[in-house]
């Protein structure tokens, strides 16, 4: 792979790095809150992937130039692709919903078990199972 | 923060502007970046700021939890309702052209109404989430 | 009005959900939910009729013409899955009336039904939509409500089970979004029919193959294929009974549908089997799933968990049918979608009756129940026989087509057919353990234990009757499944 190809695709390297960081946190941490942080970083990398692919060099935000009703729109304006932005707006909202459901579950787990560490929860459950 | 006079007065002054900004972001959403999602979150931020400064109880007197829950449901009904209305007018679901003689205005009204539904739901959900997490008692383990 | 049916299929439960959430009386919310699920079933049946009579139904949301606008596209494959999901929804909703009052705090009942309806509309939405990103949105609608539903279970382990499902489910959904994004980069389209036309032009691109991998792993997480199944057993075991019955019979089925739709319709059967060797990847996974999970199920003492592991094994059968890469194999997969929904629905509902009366599904607690709750246990026995694949039950029909598919291929595939028979015997072992406890051991629980109320038994027996009816008269179901399989395998011959 030539250096040019490496540099010109820098957005993908950022995405991959973020994705792996998030995924690693998700897998390696036992704390339930940290897992959600990892999940968030992981999802954010996908947002980056979509947003960066919609960007056209020199493109303006996809808002109609002119009177707003297309009357005297300037023909030669280059717009960035708005669709990935719209999709990611939806995905961000989904991400927020996932995070809040996850955090709500974490709060309930903390109330039920008194801990947020996965291995301690497993130990408590193992003790309960052994005593039955 | 109940004793900090600057914070209290500052929050009071800022709140109406935040709410105004939320409405601006909503109603200007079809000409510039913005729309119901952003507006709903900004609107919630106004009340979250008040709650941080004046305490949860004071804000819940103005904006009771049952109301935020109602909002969360109402917005979805507004959104879906627009679609049902266009269906009754003989178009497809969310076919905004049905809403006015001129399709240009039909699209305009349609997107504003739908985004209003989004605004109401996002506001209701975010405020409910804020209340639920903020109102949870801190129990020491 | 019939032209609007595809959208009504989704928005009837979707709009009933917020109304349920604000209703103050549990009863009102309950009956609204029942009404919405019944209308969904009626719509699904009419849609299937329309598709069988006149071919593909296409619906343009907001009057935007595809591929620019979002299209709802109903062909024989998803009309079939819609009927499966909607009919389970229509049976579980009235069942949950009594069950939920028993298992969930009364102030949460309206919210329970709101989440239930959201889950139903999400699953119907995934099935009906013809737009890739729409699939993701509906997938998250159904998943988020499913996490909430599972966490409502009484034991505190329901919380950790829901949490684990949330983490794994979100990773799966994110993988699917990555896959969709990569496809969009290559083709500039999100419409499934449009993608199917554009993709052959870029088959050679590495991006498309990577997208294929991401979509595959994401969907397999959702459908709990063998190494990615870890979220399923606990989620099913600790969720409230109606939720388990509903999820076990619908959620994984819709995920299997997604797999078929993505890989066979969009990428095309030729690309999947010839270029990506999908069959050779799935075959070992499916076989390991069937054998190992049946084995694990034999050693479970919690009957709900036992059936959950058996579900993972049964998913293995569905994937096994797909990995035959033939019309007969795919017919078996599609038949098993329906048949497994019927048998698992009946079994989990029978267990719900047991929970209602004795509060536990531990195998020792169920000792001697055969005399105390004869109708409930009879339902369990019929469901269990169906799971094993005894003739005159739907389970037999699925296994029949599966073995037929294996024999058709001949050669080493005969071994697969033998393995199907062996695992059926393993299913017999775990079902027998429960039956033995219920009928041959002495009852040791509360003397006042009686038969479950009619409001629970009637929906259970509707499913049991369906198990028997479609086991005897399989002409219609097999016909639809075969037609759907031919549509999916189009362009590759049989």
């Amino acid at each position: 792979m030539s250096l040019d190809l490496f540099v010109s695709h820098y957005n993908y390297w950022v995405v991959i790095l973020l994705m792996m960081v998030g995924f690693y946190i998700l897998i390696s941490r036992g704390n339930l809150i940290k897992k959600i942080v990892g999940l968030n970083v992981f999802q954010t990398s996908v947002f980056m992937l979509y947003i960066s692919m919609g960007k056209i060099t020199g493109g303006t935000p996809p808002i109609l130039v002119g009177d707003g009703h297309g009357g005297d729109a300037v023909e030669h304006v280059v717009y960035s692709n708005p669709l990935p932005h719209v999709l990611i707006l939806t995905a961000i909202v989904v991400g927020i919903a996932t995070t809040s459901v996850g955090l709500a579950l974490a709060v309930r787990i903390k109330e039920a078990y008194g801990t947020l560490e996965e291995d301690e929860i497993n130990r408590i459950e193992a003790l309960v199972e052994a005593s039955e | 923060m109940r004793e900090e006079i600057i914070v209290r007065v500052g929050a009071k002054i800022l709140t109406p502007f935040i709410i105004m900004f939320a409405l601006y972001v909503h109603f200007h959403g079809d000409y510039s970046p913005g729309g119901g999602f952003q507006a709903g979150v900004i609107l919630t931020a106004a009340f979250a700021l008040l709650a941080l400064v004046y305490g949860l109880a004071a804000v819940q007197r103005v904006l009771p939890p049952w109301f935020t829950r109602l909002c969360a449901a109402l917005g979805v009904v507004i959104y879906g309702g627009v679609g049902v209305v266009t269906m009754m007018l003989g178009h497809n679901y969310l076919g905004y052209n049905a809403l006015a003689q001129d399709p240009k205005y039909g699209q305009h009204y349609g997107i504003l109404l739908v985004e209003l539904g989004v605004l109401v739901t996002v506001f209701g959900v975010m405020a409910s989430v804020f209340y639920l997490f903020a109102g949870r008692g801190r129990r020491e383990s | 009005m019939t032209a609007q049916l595809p959208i009504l299929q989704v928005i009837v439960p979707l709009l009933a959900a917020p109304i349920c959430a604000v209703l103050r009386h549990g009863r009102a919310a309950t009956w609204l939910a029942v009404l919405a699920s019944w209308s969904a079933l009626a719509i699904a049946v009419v849609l299937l009729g329309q598709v069988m009579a006149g071919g593909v139904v296409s619906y343009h949301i907001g009057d935007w013409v595809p591929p620019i606008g979002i299209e709802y596209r109903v062909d024989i494959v998803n009309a079939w899955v819609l009927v499966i999901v909607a009919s389970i929804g229509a049976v579980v909703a009235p069942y949950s009336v009594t069950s939920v009052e028993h298992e969930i705090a009364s102030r949460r009942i309206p919210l329970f039904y709101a989440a239930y309806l959201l889950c139903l509309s999400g699953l119907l939405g995934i099935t009906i939509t013809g737009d890739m990103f729409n699939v993701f949105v509906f997938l998250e609608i159904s998943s988020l409500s499913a996490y909430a539903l599972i966490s409502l279970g009484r034991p505190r382990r329901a919380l950790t089970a829901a949490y684990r499902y949330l983490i794994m489910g979100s990773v799966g959904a994110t993988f699917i979004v990555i896959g969709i994004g990569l496809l969009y980069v290559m083709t500039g389209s999100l419409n499934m029919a449009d993608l199917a036309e554009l993709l052959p032009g870029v088959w050679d691109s590495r991006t498309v193959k990577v997208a294929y991998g991401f979509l595959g792993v994401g969907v397999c997480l959702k459908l709990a294929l063998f190494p990615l199944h870890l979220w399923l057993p606990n989620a099913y075991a600790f969720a409230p009974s109606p939720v388990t019955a509903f999820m076990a019979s619908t959620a994984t089925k819709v995920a299997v549908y997604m797999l078929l739709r993505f890989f066979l319709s969009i990428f095309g059967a030729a690309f999947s089997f010839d270029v990506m060797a999908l069959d050779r990847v799935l075959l070992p996974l499916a076989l390991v799933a069937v054998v190992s999970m049946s084995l694990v199920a034999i050693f479970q003492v919690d009957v709900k968990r036992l059936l959950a592991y058996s579900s993972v094994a049964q998913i293995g059968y569905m994937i096994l049918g797909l990995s035959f890469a033939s019309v007969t194999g795919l017919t078996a997969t599609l038949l098993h979608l329906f048949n497994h929904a019927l048998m698992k629905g009946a079994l989990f509902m029978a267990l719900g009756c047991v929970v209602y009366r004795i509060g536990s599904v531990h195998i020792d607690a169920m000792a001697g129940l055969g005399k105390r709750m004869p109708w409930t246990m009879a339902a369990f026995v019929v469901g269990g026989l169906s799971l094993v694949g005894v003739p005159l039950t739907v389970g037999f029909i699925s296994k029949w087509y599966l073995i037929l598919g294996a024999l058709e291929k001949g050669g080493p595939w005969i071994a697969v057919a033998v393995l199907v028979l062996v695992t059926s015997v393993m299913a017999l072992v775990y079902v027998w353990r429960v039956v033995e406890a219920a009928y041959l051991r002495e009852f040791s629980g509360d003397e006042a234990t009686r038969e479950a109320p009619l409001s629970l038994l009637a929906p259970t027996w509707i499913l049991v009757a369906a198990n028997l009816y479609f086991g005897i008269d399989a002409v219609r179901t097999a016909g639809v499944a075969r037609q759907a399989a031919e549509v999916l395998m189009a362009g590759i011959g049989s």
Side-chain angles (χ1 to χ4, degrees):
Chain A
M1 179 181 289
S2 70
L3 189 68
D4 267 358
L5 193 68
F6 185 88
V7 174
S8 66
H9 287 67
Y10 71 93
N11 55 330
Y12 293 105
W13 298 112
V14 175
V15 168
I16 291 170
L17 184 76
L18 265 182
M19 196 179 283
M20 290 305 123
V21 168
F23 209 40
Y24 178 74
I25 300 175
L26 186 68
I27 294 170
S28 67
R29 298 294 116 175
N31 185 299
L32 301 189
I33 302 282
K34 287 180 184 164
K35 269 185 194 294
I36 291 177
V37 173
L39 187 66
N40 270 318
V41 175
F42 182 57
Q43 286 177 328
T44 309
S45 73
V46 184
F47 304 162
M48 295 273 294
L49 173 73
Y50 271 72
I51 300 286
S52 64
M53 79 195 182
K55 175 69 182 168
I56 295 166
T57 312
T60 69
I63 296 162
L64 210 53
V65 179
D67 67 354
H69 284 289
D72 52 1
V74 186
E75 287 290 323
H76 58 268
V77 177
V78 178
Y79 295 115
S80 288
N81 187 353
L83 189 63
H85 294 74
V86 179
L87 299 180
I88 282 317
L89 184 59
T90 313
I92 290 173
V93 175
V94 167
I96 291 172
T98 314
T99 309
S100 51
V101 173
L103 288 176
L105 284 172
V107 170
R108 293 274 310 277
I109 289 173
K110 168 84 178 170
E111 285 174 0
Y113 288 91
T115 176
L116 279 171
E117 297 296 328
E118 206 175 25
D119 44 357
E120 282 182 39
I121 293 171
N122 289 341
R123 198 159 54 231
I124 294 171
E125 279 307 331
L127 281 175
V128 170
E129 224 158 82
S131 67
E132 266 172 8
Chain B
M1 266 182 262
R2 283 159 181 258
E3 307 307 319
E4 299 286 341
I5 184 96
I6 294 176
V7 176
R8 287 172 69 95
V9 174
K12 225 175 213 170
I13 295 174
L14 275 176
T15 308
F17 288 105
I18 299 175
I19 294 174
M20 274 299 286
F21 183 60
L23 293 177
Y24 165 78
V25 168
H26 170 66
F27 284 105
H28 217 255
D30 47 349
Y31 299 120
S32 63
F37 282 121
Q38 293 88 330
V41 177
I42 295 171
L43 195 55
T44 314
F47 289 96
L49 175 68
L50 283 182
L52 288 177
V53 177
Y54 291 89
L56 202 59
V59 174
Q60 286 190 339
R61 269 208 306 280
V62 187
L63 187 73
W66 64 263
F67 183 74
T68 60
R69 242 175 81 175
L70 184 69
C71 277
L74 186 69
V76 183
V77 175
I78 294 176
Y79 193 131
V82 173
V84 173
V85 169
T86 59
M87 263 160 64
M88 301 230 175
L89 293 171
H91 284 245
N92 272 2
Y93 188 73
L94 294 179
Y96 302 142
N97 288 357
L99 296 175
Q101 286 291 313
D102 186 346
K104 208 150 72 183
Y105 290 103
Q107 292 289 336
H108 184 68
Y109 299 146
I111 197 71
L112 268 186
L113 282 171
V114 160
E115 288 285 312
L116 185 68
V118 174
L119 168 81
V120 173
T121 294
V122 171
F123 167 64
V125 170
M126 292 309 284
S128 303
V129 168
F130 177 72
Y131 280 169
L132 283 176
F133 281 107
R136 207 89 189 175
R138 281 166 198 271
R139 279 181 232 166
E140 297 305 321
S141 56
Chain C
M1 204 58 187
T2 49
Q4 305 287 341
L5 282 179
I7 189 74
L8 286 174
Q9 177 82 84
V10 178
I11 60 166
V12 165
L14 191 64
L15 285 182
I19 299 173
C20 265
V22 292
L23 285 176
R24 292 189 165 242
H25 294 284
R27 271 292 147 105
T30 308
W31 289 113
L32 183 62
V34 171
L35 200 66
S37 343
W38 283 353
S39 350
L41 176 61
I43 295 168
V45 170
V46 175
L47 271 178
L48 181 65
Q50 273 185 12
V51 170
M52 305 244 322
V56 177
V57 176
S58 167
Y59 183 87
H60 307 161
I61 292 191
D63 293 318
W64 292 96
V65 180
I68 291 174
I70 294 174
E71 179 192 20
Y72 280 8
R73 194 181 171 83
V74 193
D75 62 8
I76 184 90
V77 187
N78 53 3
W80 173 241
V81 180
L82 284 175
V83 169
I84 298 174
V85 174
S87 46
I88 295 296
V91 180
V92 171
Y95 174 86
S96 63
V97 176
T98 314
S99 186
V100 160
E101 276 173 6
H102 180 70
E103 292 186 37
I104 292 172
S106 63
R107 69 191 167 84
R108 287 206 183 123
I109 288 180
L111 291 177
F112 168 85
Y113 281 108
Y116 166 77
L117 285 171
L118 281 177
C119 192
L120 178 66
S121 57
L123 293 170
L124 292 170
I126 297 171
T127 315
I128 203 168
T129 188
D131 184 274
M132 288 295 267
F133 204 79
N134 225 224
V135 169
F136 165 69
V137 173
F138 280 121
L139 180 69
E140 284 294 357
I141 291 178
S142 67
S143 306
L144 285 169
S145 42
Y147 309 145
L149 286 173
I150 289 168
S151 73
L152 285 173
R154 269 232 216 105
R156 61 181 177 176
R157 292 184 73 180
L159 296 171
T160 45
Y163 183 90
R164 180 178 251 188
Y165 183 21
L166 178 131
I167 293 290
M168 294 187 76
S170 302
V171 171
T174 310
F175 270 42
I176 293 174
V177 189
I178 297 171
I180 295 171
L182 294 176
L183 286 185
Y184 181 72
V185 171
M186 290 310 294
T187 60
S189 178
L190 289 169
N191 183 285
M192 290 181 183
D194 197 34
L195 272 173
E197 280 174 27
L198 291 172
L199 274 176
V202 286
W203 269 2
D204 296 332
S205 137
R206 198 185 294 159
T207 312
V208 170
K209 287 176 181 161
V210 172
Y212 193 94
F214 271 116
L215 285 173
V217 175
V219 175
C220 286
L221 256 168
K222 279 287 172 191
L223 68 80
L225 185 61
F226 165 64
L228 306 171
H229 68 281
L230 292 170
W231 58 268
L232 188 143
N234 279 354
Y236 283 12
F238 301 120
S241 318
V243 175
T244 311
F246 179 69
M247 297 278 298
S249 339
T250 55
T252 45
K253 313 293 165 294
V254 170
V256 173
Y257 161 76
M258 262 200 288
L259 190 75
L260 299 178
R261 179 59 84 195
F262 286 173
F263 287 174
L264 299 185
S265 296
I266 295 175
F267 285 97
F271 180 71
S272 287
F273 294 130
D274 299 342
V275 183
M276 299 303 291
L278 182 68
D279 43 344
R280 270 162 281 165
V281 176
L282 290 183
L283 178 68
L285 292 180
L287 289 179
V288 175
V290 173
V291 176
S292 65
M293 289 301 120
S294 301
L295 206 60
V296 173
I298 291 176
F299 295 101
Q300 296 302 313
V301 285
D302 182 314
V303 181
K304 240 173 149 179
R305 238 177 124 88
L306 180 156
L307 289 181
Y309 277 108
S310 137
S311 272
V312 184
Q314 301 286 323
I315 290 160
Y317 286 128
M318 294 172 207
I319 301 301
L320 189 63
L322 172 62
S323 71
F324 288 171
S326 70
V327 170
T328 315
L330 210 54
T331 308
T333 301
L334 289 163
L335 264 177
H336 203 48
L337 285 186
F338 180 68
N339 294 347
H340 183 243
L342 289 183
M343 53 179 111
K344 270 291 152 52
L347 283 167
F348 277 120
M349 282 160 92
L351 282 186
C353 298
V354 174
V355 172
Y356 186 80
R357 279 301 181 215
I358 65 174
S360 165
V361 285
H362 196 278
I363 202 157
D364 293 331
M366 286 176 72
L369 268 190
K371 289 209 183 71
R372 298 283 167 159
M373 304 176 72
W375 284 98
T376 304
M377 288 320 294
F380 188 93
V381 170
V382 177
L385 290 176
S386 194
L387 200 58
V388 175
V390 172
L392 300 185
T393 62
V394 284
F396 175 71
I397 310 290
S398 317
K399 298 248 163 86
W400 174 259
Y401 274 92
L402 211 51
I403 291 174
L404 214 61
L407 295 181
E408 201 179 78
K409 303 204 73 163
W413 292 85
I414 309 281
V416 175
V418 174
L419 206 66
V420 170
L421 290 177
V422 171
T423 50
S424 298
V425 175
M426 290 164 83
L428 184 63
V429 174
Y430 58 70
V431 170
W432 171 252
R433 285 187 62 224
V434 182
V435 172
E436 184 258 351
Y439 284 94
L440 301 181
R441 281 200 247 159
E442 281 304 309
F443 184 72
S444 58
D446 186 1
E447 280 305 315
T449 306
R450 286 172 294 126
E451 182 54 88
L454 189 66
S455 53
L456 291 181
L457 276 181
T460 311
W461 273 91
I462 288 176
L463 279 191
V464 171
N467 263 299
L468 296 170
Y469 177 80
F470 290 109
I472 296 164
D473 175 20
V475 178
R476 201 166 300 153
T477 49
V480 176
R482 184 156 201 101
Q483 227 177 315
E486 274 161 7
V487 168
L488 284 172
M489 294 294 285
I492 199 174
S494 60

